[in-house]
Amino acid sequence: MGLGGCIILIAVGAILTFATDWDMEGVNLDLVGIILMIVGLIGVSTFSSIARRRRVVVPPATPVVEEERRTTRRDGYSDGYGV
């Protein structure tokens, strides 16, 4: 579940807890909303800790030196063989 799914769980839980006045027999919607918000918060914290671990940048141990390549044309005329 991504970050968007966690935020949706928090939003649906808040709506069920604070914005509805439905009464269902056998189901406490306030408790269901609180559970959804808690699961969403756990998901956000897990997602952020995993994302933080992925973004760690480790500098290279040895410096990287790029060599300049020299390309020469070998068409038979520029090197004196075709003259």
Side-chain angles (χ1 to χ4, degrees):
M1 176 174 22
L3 185 62
C6 296
I7 292 173
I8 288 173
L9 281 178
I10 293 171
V12 169
I15 289 170
L16 286 177
T17 302
F18 303 117
T20 59
D21 58 350
W22 299 336
D23 290 327
M24 294 179 70
E25 228 177 281
V27 178
N28 186 355
L29 289 179
D30 291 336
L31 182 61
V32 171
I34 290 172
I35 290 171
L36 287 176
M37 286 190 290
I38 289 171
V39 169
L41 288 173
I42 291 171
V44 166
S45 65
T46 304
F47 181 81
S48 65
S49 69
I50 290 172
R52 189 176 314 131
R53 256 188 267 149
R54 283 188 205 159
R55 292 184 186 148
V56 173
V57 177
V58 178
T62 59
V64 177
V65 179
E66 293 185 19
E67 296 180 12
E68 183 178 320
R69 287 190 173 186
R70 295 184 184 184
T71 58
T72 58
R73 284 182 56 193
R74 303 264 330 196
D75 56 1
Y77 296 106
S78 61
D79 56 0
Y81 289 112
V83 181

